[in-house]
Amino acid sequence: MTTLVAEILKSKPQSRVHTVAPHDTVLHALKTMAEHGIGALLVMQGDSEIAGIFTERDYARKVALLGRTSADTRVSEVMTRAVRFVRPEQNTDQCMALMTENRLRHLPVVDASGRLAGIVSIGDLVKHIMSEQQFIIEQMEQYITGRG
């Protein structure tokens, strides 16, 4: 029993994907992430084209460690350009494999028409996997004890 990405997106309390533009400063991106309590922002070129993703890891490795300043560095200079994504019809197992293989914490979700549908985090996936496992445990307990 695996959950589809589309189901995870529907169950998220906030489905809005927060974004920045390539020309925005890293400081602006950090303030946006802090304001919304998130660890990544999609970098959008216009309204529909994903140019990259900016994460806390990008900040730590490409700004802080290199002595750059957040106010003077553009997101486009430090973002991850090779963005991996999933489709709504993919399942949690596929997402976990992709994330583990590529050491990712966030996956944009793009529909068949190429439109951004949302983003799933490792936390979203773990939450749903744990929920599925709890359901299976409860079903097995009922079966074993003869209840239900």
Side-chain angles (χ1 to χ4, degrees):
M1 183 169 137
T2 58
T3 304
L4 298 181
V5 171
E7 295 171 47
I8 293 172
L9 290 179
K10 285 180 190 172
S11 71
K12 289 178 74 163
Q14 182 186 38
S15 60
R16 182 170 182 254
V17 177
H18 298 284
T19 65
V20 289
H23 64 271
D24 287 334
T25 65
V26 168
L27 182 59
H28 170 73
L30 292 172
K31 286 179 179 179
T32 301
M33 290 192 303
E35 178 183 336
H36 298 290
I38 55 177
L41 294 166
L42 282 180
V43 183
M44 301 297 288
Q45 188 70 52
D47 290 336
S48 60
E49 183 184 343
I50 299 173
I53 188 167
F54 177 75
T55 67
E56 293 167 327
R57 187 180 291 168
D58 290 322
Y59 173 73
R61 294 179 179 175
K62 299 173 187 174
V63 179
L65 282 178
L66 298 179
R68 293 175 150 174
T69 63
S70 302
D72 296 327
T73 305
R74 300 284 171 214
V75 171
S76 60
E77 297 173 53
V78 295
M79 68 185 183
T80 298
R81 293 179 187 280
V83 180
R84 305 267 183 178
F85 64 89
V86 293
R87 301 270 185 213
E89 61 274 7
Q90 288 182 263
N91 63 46
T92 53
D93 291 342
Q94 293 169 317
C95 291
M96 289 296 282
L98 184 63
M99 287 176 145
T100 302
E101 212 173 277
N102 296 283
R103 301 179 55 91
L104 305 171
R105 295 183 203 159
H106 303 88
L107 286 172
V109 182
V110 178
D111 66 19
S113 66
R115 187 180 58 82
L116 180 63
I119 192 166
V120 291
S121 70
I122 190 76
D124 297 330
L125 296 175
V126 168
K127 177 181 172 184
H128 278 81
I129 290 168
M130 288 175 60
S131 176
E132 287 176 348
Q133 289 175 345
Q134 185 60 41
F135 175 76
I136 291 168
I137 290 168
E138 289 170 3
Q139 294 296 308
M140 292 180 79
E141 286 175 346
Q142 288 179 8
Y143 175 75
I144 291 167
T145 62
R147 294 179 293 141

